[in-house]
Every structure is written in C-alpha cells, then in structure tokens.
C-alpha cells in the first residue's frame, strides 16, 4: 500500500467533518437546543386546591397566594392565611406570597408608610418563616390599587422588603399589560434599589386576544427576569371591566396554549408562569379555572398537562 501524506489525511478528515456538518444542518441535527421552558405554578386563593388529586397529579409545587398587607391584624383574614399557608407547607408547595390593598372597606385606598409596611412584613416573616418568596404589591399599576398613580411608593415598598429579607426572592413590580404600563414600570425603576430586579406581569390581554404586544412592551421597557405572575384563559367574567374578551372553556384552552407556545417563548428572560386560577366559586365575578366548580378538569387543564409532558425531557430555567 502506498504511503499517504499527512496533509492528505488531514484534508480528508476536514472534508468529512465539513460534510457531516452540512448534512446535520440539512437534517436539523446540528440545530442548537431550544431554550428551556419556564417554571410553572398555579395562583389560587383556596386551600382546597392543595388536596385536589388533579393538582397533585400535575406535580407543580409552586403556588401564588395574595394577602392584604394588613391581613394579620384581623382574625378572619389571619385564619384564612394560616389555613392556606399551613396546607401549602404540608403539601410541600413553594409559596409566592403577594401583598395587596387592605380588605377593610375604610382602608382599601390607604397606602401605609414604608416603615409600617415593613413592620407588617416582619409579622408575616415571624409567623411563616418557611415562606421565602414575596411579591411587593399585586397588580400595582391597576387603579383598583392605591399604588396606581404612585409607582415611586410601590418602589419604596420593594426597597423595604429587599432590606428586611436579603435572602428572600422578591418580585419588584407586578403589573397588568396596559398601554400605560411601560411608563409606570420605568418610574418604578427610577426609585427601586438594586440592579437585578424581577418583574411580575399579568398579561391577560395578550393571552385572551392572542397577541404579544403587552408582553413585548414590558420586555422592552426594563431589563431583568420576567415572571407571568398571573395569566390564563377566561371562561366567564362579570366584573364590570370595559375590556372585552371571548368567554368559554374552549377559548380558555386556546388562550392557555398561547401563553405557553407564544408568550412564554418571547424571551429567555421569562422564567416563570403562574396560571390563574385552579377553580372558581359558583357566585364569583371571575372564572378562569382549570377545574370547574364540580371538580372536573376543563380543556385548559389538559392543555397544561400536554405542555408539562412536552417539556419533561428538557431542563427548567433556573428560578
């Protein structure tokens, strides 16, 4: 057999490598892996979810619960919060505890001082030391909240929580996807301390109108992680809102699919998705439940299970 030069061997190997890369590209074998899916949780106010076998079947340990900032001052609210958080702890759930306006009629529009807000927060920390994730103020840019025209005050609340619990994970601003939202979050950002903030978004308009505009506007307005702290498809609503959506179970399923297939894929900065809600009360003014009042899964529940199966083989994003 004749001697083959070293240069010819290298040339042949390089040629084979290039050919392999070309074939892989044509077949899709050399394409980079898709970004990992965001972590998924459920937002619901009822502790019954935590013992529902359909919830357990999903194996989603993350839940979001909203309380009034002064809830521990009132026995009925304190008992409700105790029941939910105790059940969540027993179920092994990780709670994102979200604060909002007072439920006492005379105090609904009241904005506590940052110092008072901080003292109430310390009461929550002492009573529920196993909770380590907090959301500063629920839907802070919505005008049902006293923070609607006070983004600077909402930022001061965030600064208070950040100082009081340095080892906690804290969602800085939590907002609805309205047209005025980008200006609101920029005003919040000017007063908020820290460089790496987490932004919460309730993108119902995007989800239920099958668009991406509101979510993209937040991604453009601020840097940092984005969590969909409340989203999902609408089944029925009677809350007087002028914003119109289609309302039925099949629409809700398609909107839920849109959340996962389009909105959550807009950026790798989207790290979590909390669907709202598990189930609605029969006389409620809002129903986006994955399960109906009789405990039967709706079409959106099966959309969620299909999504979870599809991503089971891929790693979740950190967070």
């Amino acid at each position: 057999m004749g001697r083959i030069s070293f240069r010819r061997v290298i040339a042949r190997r390089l040629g084979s490598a290039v050919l392999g890369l070309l074939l892989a590209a044509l077949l899709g074998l050399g394409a980079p892996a898709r970004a990992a899916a965001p972590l998924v949780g459920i937002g619901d106010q009822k502790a019954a979810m935590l013992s529902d076998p359909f919830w357990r079947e999903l194996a989603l340990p993350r839940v979001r619960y909203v309380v009034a900032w002064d809830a521990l001052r009132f026995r009925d609210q304190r008992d409700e919060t105790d029941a939910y958080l105790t059940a969540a702890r027993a179920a092994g759930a990780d709670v994102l505890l979200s604060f909002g306006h007072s439920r006492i009629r005379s105090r609904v529009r009241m904005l506590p001082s940052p110092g008072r807000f901080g003292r109430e927060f310390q009461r929550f920390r002492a009573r529920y030391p196993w909770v380590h994730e907090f959301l500063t103020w629920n839907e802070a840019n919505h005008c049902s909240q006293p923070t609607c025209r006070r983004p600077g005050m909402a930022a001061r609340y965030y600064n208070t929580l950040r100082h009081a619990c340095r080892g906690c994970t804290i969602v800085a601003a939590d907002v609805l996807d309205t047209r005025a939202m980008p200006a609101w979050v920029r005003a919040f950002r000017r007063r908020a301390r820290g460089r790496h903030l987490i932004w919460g978004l309730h993108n119902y308009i995007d989800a239920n109108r099958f668009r991406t505009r509101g979510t993209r506007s937040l991604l453009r307005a601020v840097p940092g992680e984005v969590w969909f702290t409340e989203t999902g498809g609408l089944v029925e609503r009677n809350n007087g809102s002028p914003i119109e959506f289609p309302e039925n179970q099949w629409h809700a399923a398609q909107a839920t699919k849109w959340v996962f297939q389009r909105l959550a894929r807009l950026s790798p900065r989207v790290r979590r998705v909390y669907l709202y809600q598990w189930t609605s009360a029969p006389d409620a003014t809002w129903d986006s439940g994955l399960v109906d009042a009789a405990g039967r899964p709706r079409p959106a529940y099966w959309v969620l299970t299909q999504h979870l199966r599809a991503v089971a083989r891929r790693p979740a994003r950190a967070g």
Side-chain angles (χ1 to χ4, degrees):
M1 182 177 179
R3 183 178 297 178
I4 301 175
S5 72
F6 178 74
R7 288 184 179 179
R8 290 175 64 188
V9 171
I10 295 298
R12 287 178 182 176
R13 290 183 178 176
L14 284 173
S16 297
V18 171
L19 180 61
L21 289 172
L22 288 172
L23 287 171
L26 289 171
L27 295 173
L29 300 176
R34 289 192 302 171
L39 301 173
V40 179
I42 305 291
D44 197 90
Q45 295 298 105
K46 296 173 288 300
M49 176 188 75
L50 301 162
S51 58
D52 189 322
F54 286 109
W55 176 76
R56 293 181 178 275
E57 182 68 23
L58 294 175
L60 293 178
R62 290 173 177 80
V63 298
R64 190 217 59 172
Y65 185 66
V66 182
V67 293
W69 66 270
D70 58 354
L72 297 185
R73 295 286 177 181
F74 305 96
R75 178 176 296 178
D76 58 340
Q77 296 182 53
R78 186 169 60 244
D79 290 348
E80 287 177 17
T81 306
D82 282 347
Y84 188 98
L85 294 182
T86 300
R89 188 184 190 192
D94 296 324
V95 179
L96 174 61
L97 187 61
S98 172
F99 299 108
H101 66 70
S102 176
R103 287 168 52 184
I104 304 303
R105 181 173 298 179
S106 62
R107 297 158 65 109
V108 167
R109 306 305 302 175
M110 175 183 174
L111 278 176
S113 68
R116 186 172 183 184
F117 186 75
R119 289 190 293 274
E120 293 302 317
F121 175 69
Q122 293 291 11
R123 288 165 61 87
F124 281 95
R125 289 286 295 138
R127 194 173 186 89
Y128 314 111
W130 60 88
V131 179
H132 300 283
E133 296 188 344
F134 300 94
L135 188 154
T136 304
W137 199 281
N138 182 58
E139 293 188 353
N141 69 326
H142 191 271
C143 285
S144 65
Q145 301 291 333
T147 50
C148 172
R149 294 179 175 85
R150 301 286 299 277
M153 180 62 79
R156 293 178 68 188
Y157 294 157
Y158 166 68
N159 295 340
T160 298
L161 300 190
R162 185 171 175 267
H163 177 76
C165 192
R166 296 186 183 277
C168 293
T169 299
I170 302 171
V171 178
D174 183 70
V175 292
L176 285 165
D177 57 342
T178 63
R179 289 186 178 182
M181 175 265 290
W184 196 98
V185 296
R186 284 192 290 265
F188 179 102
R189 184 68 187 89
R190 287 193 291 269
R191 298 293 298 273
R193 296 173 186 164
R195 300 176 60 185
H196 304 290
L197 275 60
I198 300 172
W199 304 92
L201 179 64
H202 296 194
N203 51 0
Y204 283 114
I205 300 177
D206 276 357
N208 286 276
R209 291 186 176 171
F210 306 106
R211 71 181 201 188
T212 62
R213 184 191 312 160
T215 306
R216 289 181 187 275
S217 69
L218 178 64
L219 290 166
R220 287 193 301 267
V222 291
E225 290 186 28
V226 172
W227 295 6
F228 298 168
T229 44
E230 190 174 313
T231 192
L234 185 63
V235 176
E236 187 175 2
R237 179 182 58 160
N238 185 26
N239 63 355
S241 173
I243 301 174
E244 296 184 357
F245 299 135
E247 299 178 17
N248 60 68
Q249 294 186 33
W250 300 105
H251 162 79
Q254 291 302 311
T256 302
K257 186 180 295 186
W258 184 263
V259 168
F260 289 121
Q261 295 188 356
R262 291 296 305 275
L263 298 178
R265 294 181 181 182
L266 288 175
S267 170
R269 292 163 52 199
V270 178
R271 300 294 183 84
R272 293 195 193 181
V273 173
Y274 288 84
L275 293 177
Y276 184 82
Q277 65 202 136
W278 184 250
T279 187
S280 177
D283 57 347
T285 61
W286 178 281
D287 182 0
S288 56
L290 297 169
V291 175
D292 68 19
R296 296 168 299 201
R298 288 170 165 168
Y301 176 91
W302 302 114
V303 169
L304 174 58
T305 60
Q306 290 169 5
H307 168 76
L308 295 175
R309 292 191 189 109
V311 302
R313 298 183 183 90
R314 293 189 284 142
R317 295 175 191 166

